[in-house]
Amino acid sequence: MINFNVPPCADKAMDYIRECVKNQKICGDGPYTKKCNEWIEKKTGTAKCLLTTSCTHATELAALLVPEIGPGDEVIMPAYTFVSTADAFVLRRAVPVFVDIRPDTMNIDEKLIEDAVTERTKAIVPVHYAGVSCEMDTIMDIAQRHGLKVIEDAAQGIMASYKGKALGTIGDFGCFSFHETKNYSMGEGGALLIRDRKYVEDAEIIREKGTNRTKYYRGQVDKYTWINYGSSYLPSDMNAAYLYAQLEIAEEINDARLAIWKRYYETLEPLARAGRIELPVVPEGCVHNAHMFYIKTKDIQERSALIDYLKKNEIYAVSHYIPLHTAPAGRMFGRFHGEDRYTTAESERLLRLPMYYGLELEQVDYICGKVGEFYR
Ligand SMILES: *Cc1c(COP(=O)(O)O)cnc(C)c1O
């Protein structure tokens, strides 16, 4: 059986976790959390990285750092995304305003954003689907002209870039995910990337229950106290240890994933040329990270039939997001601006094939063979 996902685990993970336990350093902000933060800062060039308990929490933390986002304010995002993108702002009683996606990348259509801006708009949240960047130059330009914050949902975007800039570092804030389904994992976890140093102190305080404990640990104050609102967004150092072992071999993991992606692409190309399926598009200037390999079928019926066919052959392939504006909470909390030309139609055709570090190229060939068989 070929699973859809197998969580990544680097050889050194168990040694590092054992070290945490032995040294009795298992709470947040221990040595491994620090190593992860520093690794991400160096790799991406962001001013500051703070490891969090999830990407959902990183996004919540970003929303809390922009106090001007309040009840009734609007945040523009694609409808084709994971619920967390919207949740973080719904919790602030803001209104997610969903905009249609581009059919080529499944990312928010940057040309439709400006029309959705009202005087209540406070932020844009681009989601880099499959680790392929949104058209950030256009998005940053709109944000600048209208005084909006940009919070990148880069949950799938670590190790990917746009015109040489790491995803997650272009907007005011960037959010990574280290969930078990992502390229690098700590079970549950994430990171907040902060572009502008002026937010760092507030971020550290909000992440630590509204206290200045981070400053206390650094020896900058002699006792810590409650100084602002906050929550607890620190992961255990054991989780960070598990992640750090993968970050150490990040290039190797990335190369292996890209090789799998390329093998899928090349093997399925004839089927795409024959007009039977569509393959993912990576625009110029975007370097992706092979987070996902998807194909598009003719319609939802064909997709279901292909999922069943693959399952009969012991291959787990899966669909993805149900557009948020069609979900009960999406209807209750948000609204769709403009026409849903592509969001629903394209999401119904999209099928994700198995993709994980450790998937063998022979297995990819087998999967492609079965896809070919289905279309014969
Ligand atoms: C995985 C994912 C999230 C949520 O990440 P968690 O770490 O599970 O909170 C948010 N947005 C997108 C686009 C994702 O793919």
Side-chain angles (χ1 to χ4, degrees):
M1 189 194 61
I2 304 178
N3 277 322
F4 171 68
N5 177 57
V6 173
C9 181
D11 292 342
K12 294 221 181 114
M14 294 312 287
D15 292 341
Y16 292 171
I17 292 172
R18 210 171 285 117
E19 192 186 321
C20 294
V21 176
K22 202 174 101 237
N23 294 339
Q24 301 173 355
K25 285 205 160 39
I26 59 171
C27 69
D29 280 340
Y32 281 104
T33 303
K34 215 167 153 197
K35 280 178 197 249
C36 289
N37 288 339
E38 285 168 5
W39 188 93
I40 293 168
E41 283 161 12
K42 193 150 168 251
K43 186 79 194 169
T44 65
T46 186
K48 183 73 187 172
C49 171
L50 293 171
L51 219 56
T52 59
T53 28
S54 65
C55 178
T56 306
H57 279 165
T59 317
E60 264 179 55
L61 181 49
L64 287 166
L65 283 166
V66 187
E68 58 265 36
I69 302 177
D73 289 330
E74 296 176 353
V75 178
I76 296 172
M77 63 183 71
Y80 185 68
T81 183
F82 191 55
V83 296
S84 310
T85 318
D87 265 332
F89 303 96
V90 168
L91 284 174
R92 319 268 19 100
R93 302 250 179 274
V95 178
V97 174
F98 303 116
V99 166
D100 208 12
I101 55 166
R102 292 163 48 148
D104 59 347
T105 57
M106 304 298 284
N107 283 336
I108 191 166
D109 187 337
E110 69 280 358
K111 293 193 195 72
L112 302 176
I113 293 174
E114 194 145 24
D115 192 58
V117 174
T118 70
E119 69 252 25
R120 302 240 41 186
T121 307
K122 294 287 159 68
I124 306 170
V125 189
V127 180
H128 306 298
Y129 189 69
V132 175
S133 180
C134 296
E135 193 40 57
M136 290 307 290
D137 279 351
T138 309
I139 292 171
M140 294 309 291
D141 175 61
I142 296 167
Q144 237 137 44
R145 283 188 287 106
H146 294 274
L148 310 175
K149 291 281 186 294
V150 174
I151 298 149
E152 296 177 69
D153 182 336
Q156 306 173 10
I158 185 168
M159 299 286 280
S161 63
Y162 171 79
K163 299 187 181 173
K165 290 184 207 146
L167 301 192
T169 66
I170 305 163
D172 298 83
F173 303 101
C175 308
F176 284 167
S177 174
F178 300 118
H179 184 256
E180 78 165 28
T181 52
K182 301 304 200 285
N183 292 22
Y184 307 90
S185 178
M186 52 198 280
E188 300 281 352
L192 178 69
L193 278 62
I194 302 172
R195 193 189 62 198
D196 190 336
R197 290 222 139 261
K198 75 173 185 216
Y199 289 107
V200 172
E201 192 172 338
D202 279 345
E204 286 177 342
I205 289 165
I206 295 171
R207 180 170 165 274
E208 260 283 17
K209 303 99 186 160
T211 73
N212 58 351
R213 185 148 70 177
T214 308
K215 260 190 161 165
Y216 169 72
Y217 278 149
R218 279 198 296 256
Q220 292 165 329
V221 287
D222 57 10
K223 54 181 177 304
Y224 75 87
T225 184
W226 184 32
I227 48 178
N228 199 352
Y229 54 79
S231 188
S232 184
Y233 297 128
L234 296 75
S236 158
D237 214 47
M238 291 188 289
N239 294 51
Y242 184 92
L243 174 67
Y244 188 66
Q246 289 158 55
L247 296 182
E248 282 184 317
I249 56 161
E251 294 294 344
E252 182 187 321
I253 293 176
N254 198 45
D255 289 348
R257 295 188 75 107
L258 286 167
I260 294 165
W261 196 97
K262 189 161 166 269
R263 185 73 150 236
Y264 268 129
Y265 194 95
E266 289 171 0
T267 316
L268 292 172
E269 223 173 1
L271 214 52
R273 268 202 303 272
R276 309 303 296 272
I277 59 167
E278 281 169 40
L279 295 177
V281 173
V282 181
E284 208 167 303
C286 300
V287 175
H288 73 108
N289 57 3
H291 172 61
M292 190 187 300
F293 193 90
Y294 65 78
I295 62 172
K296 285 188 190 159
T297 60
K298 184 164 67 83
D299 53 27
I300 194 167
Q301 284 79 22
E302 189 179 279
R303 181 178 71 179
S304 301
L306 179 52
I307 290 176
D308 289 344
Y309 186 79
L310 293 174
K311 197 175 271 166
K312 274 198 210 92
N313 288 285
E314 310 260 303
I315 298 163
Y316 281 88
V318 297
S319 59
H320 213 184
Y321 307 130
I322 295 179
L324 296 185
H325 66 298
T326 67
R331 284 200 297 264
M332 189 156 44
F333 298 126
R335 65 180 169 81
F336 197 97
H337 178 86
E339 186 197 345
D340 174 4
R341 239 180 111 193
Y342 294 115
T343 302
T344 300
E346 296 299 303
S347 69
E348 289 181 343
R349 305 202 292 132
L350 187 140
L351 177 70
R352 297 186 293 159
L353 297 174
M355 166 60 85
Y356 54 86
Y357 176 57
L359 183 68
E360 306 282 342
L361 295 180
E362 293 72 47
Q363 291 177 302
V364 175
D365 293 341
Y366 173 76
I367 296 162
C368 294
K370 291 298 168 190
V371 173
E373 235 173 71
F374 173 83
Y375 280 101
R376 243 175 278 135

